[in-house]
Amino acid sequence: MKSSLNSNVQRREMSTEAPKVPVGKLMKAESIAALYRTDVEATIIAFSSKHQGKRPRIVGILATDSKPSEMYAEFTRKTCEGMGVDFVLKRVGGAVVVGEKGKGQEESVGVDGDELEGSIIEANEDASVDGIMVYYPIFGGLQDHYIQQVVSPFKDVEGLHTKFHFNLYHNIRFIRPASLASALPLSSATGQEPSADSDTPPPGLVKSILPCTPLAIVKCLEYMGVYNAHLSYGDRAYGKTITVINRSEVVGRPLAALLSNDGARVFSVDIDSIQEYTKRPTTFNASSSSTGIPRRLYHPQHVVHPTSNTLEQCLAISDVVITAVPSTSYKVATSSLKDGCICVNVSSEKNFEKDVREKASLYLPAVGKVTILMLLRNLMRLCHYRELMQEADTT
């Protein structure tokens, strides 16, 4: 009898327990990277076959003793070697470790950082080098931006040269390879404006190189369903509100531009301000002469506006939240997130709280493996662009 009473009490206690809160799905970058790996590997094999077994070569330049940069360099080396790309790591300045031998092909130059620029110029002029990547941050701010311009646009696998940023910010998607040798920026008058209905370059044009990390994030968002394939090319993120926490020229600003040029409403958050990126005017233009109905004429590329929204207000209406803050202490409060949103962490630090999936429907904690695939895709495209220029010179 006593046992029966105890069982009844236990059943009543179990029935009053609060139901478990459903959690969102944890996404993995490996699954997304796998979608591109086969195509990139095929392009590398074709390149080697065409060039009598020569493997594409990247020189990576490491100029600090930053642990995240060291890890990224080692990850780059492993991925390149696994996919048939020669990778040479050149250590300069603060990255030189006296008396310690690294893995793979490594060179050490100088001990005070003076050789950084010289090492980039040397790689620019070395015909055996197909791509160059530099591990940032080094000095920070404008000095890093200057270093990015020293890398030849013909070998800039990271897509950080001003030529590529200009094209991205002006929504110029297709270019002539020879334009990379010009000192002048492109304009819509050149006939190189983006196609409105296809991602296939018109005859004689190729795709402009995009920064590999922002591009990787876009590919992740496509995989997670943020982009709507039923909409027109160049507008497939329409209807989405996205907050990007970071406005660096390496990740945050180009990412905000990419997303808004694809139709999204983007809040770009930095330390001291929040800006809104959109290519949709806030007001209607004069009535159409044929229909008499007011219409909005879309901007050819995104426009930046100040906003009075606080971060909490931005988060509350955002379908997607992307963070790239290099700080262990910075965390996005789960309570501020919109129910069912998608969260993407880009920083080597985790910028979301541990319970993020109690609000987020999808959570991607890292994008590095997709970034490396985009970097290698950029490498092979730049190899192809140089070949097209050489063929043009011989005809």
Side-chain angles (χ1 to χ4, degrees), residues 147-312:
I147 294 298
Q148 291 161 10
Q149 311 320 306
V150 178
V151 178
S152 166
F154 288 102
K155 298 186 179 184
D156 180 16
V157 294
E158 295 177 280
L160 299 177
H161 195 278
T162 294
K163 284 185 175 293
F164 300 132
H165 273 177
F166 180 91
N167 294 343
L168 187 162
Y169 292 142
H170 289 260
N171 205 15
I172 297 173
R173 306 193 180 207
F174 308 130
I175 62 171
R176 299 186 189 282
S179 69
L180 298 180
S182 171
L184 299 175
L186 299 176
S187 71
S188 58
T190 63
Q192 293 164 315
E193 66 275 1
S195 170
D197 56 3
S198 173
D199 65 350
T200 302
L205 302 184
V206 296
K207 288 185 175 181
S208 183
I209 298 298
L210 293 171
C212 56
T213 301
L215 177 60
I217 297 167
V218 168
K219 295 303 179 185
C220 292
L221 296 182
E222 288 179 349
Y223 179 84
M224 292 189 286
V226 174
Y227 277 59
N228 187 342
H230 295 288
L231 297 177
S232 300
Y233 173 70
D235 208 35
R236 289 175 178 165
Y238 174 50
K240 301 299 182 183
T241 298
I242 301 175
T243 291
V244 178
I245 306 176
N246 174 295
R247 203 185 300 139
S248 72
E249 289 292 340
V250 175
V251 180
R253 186 181 170 212
L255 174 61
L258 276 174
L259 294 170
S260 54
N261 284 340
D262 281 339
R265 180 191 186 193
V266 182
F267 291 110
S268 173
V269 180
D270 205 12
I271 294 173
D272 56 359
S273 65
I274 300 177
Q275 299 173 345
E276 182 177 346
Y277 287 46
T278 179
K279 68 178 183 181
R280 285 177 159 76
T282 56
T283 59
F284 283 82
N285 302 95
S287 300
S288 166
S289 57
S290 60
T291 64
I293 300 174
R295 58 176 181 158
R296 290 190 296 179
L297 298 177
Y298 296 158
H299 299 297
Q301 70 270 343
H302 73 282
V303 175
V304 181
H305 306 282
T307 178
S308 60
N309 283 5
T310 65
L311 174 59
E312 288 70 23

